[in-house]
Amino acid sequence: MEKRSALQKAVLISVAAMAVAFAILTFVFHRLEGVKFEEGFLRVSAQADDPAATVYAGKVQGERVKITVTDCPDEQRTEVVVQVGDRVRDECAVETGLPPIQADQLGPVEHIRITRNGQLLFEGGYTAEHDMGWYDLEGNWAPFSGLEATFRTSGENYWDSYKTSAGTILAFARGPERTARGSWMLYFTMLLFSGLLALDAAYPLALFRWQHMCDVKDPEPSDFYLEMQRAGWCIYPILLLIGYIIALRALP
């Protein structure tokens, strides 16, 4: 049996510890549901002082984001307030209960009105049964009505030119799709790499001889090979840690 050095033991312990720790963290993160917002992740909670309100909060693109959604069923209206640090505060609303709109080749669709900071942002028809199912007041298909182009100059902060789009407002008013952080697929990919590193650290000479036994009789590694192998044992655990963190923070 090959005698293992302190470095080999440290590598084996660190690899095993990361595999167990990130398995637990990924499991925990998967139980904490949230929603995607601007390539970020917001947690979901309820307002203690208003049972009709739902709050989505988190840090996205370097700023604290809070989106408060309040249902007003008596007014057939849902209010959506988007706050991004001190940079953005959009007070939005989605009104329903309006007369249906006759959409081209589709028939009657829901009539909605979306406002932002007191100004009309969109009024027309909408159906979730079709991709980009937005229609103007005459029933003409208007697929890009839910989007809003944002142009940023070089070096400008992500949020400086941000405006909440009609699609985002409607998505939060209707209840966005829930998701969770953490990718099991990426985790198991990192686990595979961890296993390969553990084998290399546990049986360095055996793996070297197995690799070259068909080419050379009684192969022996050079001093340079051994030095590079030890350097890899110091570097690869750091790369694995970065990979595990990426897997933990990944969104579907």
Side-chain angles (χ1 to χ4, degrees), residues 131-195:
D131 293 337
M132 305 181 76
W134 298 77
Y135 299 84
D136 62 22
L137 287 170
E138 284 71 42
N140 301 311
W141 187 42
F144 302 109
S145 297
L147 306 177
E148 186 157 344
T150 300
F151 301 96
R152 296 184 176 89
T153 60
S154 178
E156 183 181 10
N157 184 279
Y158 181 88
W159 298 107
D160 285 344
S161 304
Y162 180 80
K163 294 180 180 178
T164 311
S165 67
T168 298
I169 297 167
L170 182 61
F172 276 92
R174 296 289 167 87
E177 181 180 357
R178 300 291 181 92
T179 186
R181 279 196 182 278
S183 168
W184 282 114
M185 183 179 71
L186 289 177
Y187 168 80
F188 284 114
T189 300
M190 291 301 106
L191 189 63
L192 174 62
F193 291 147
S194 297

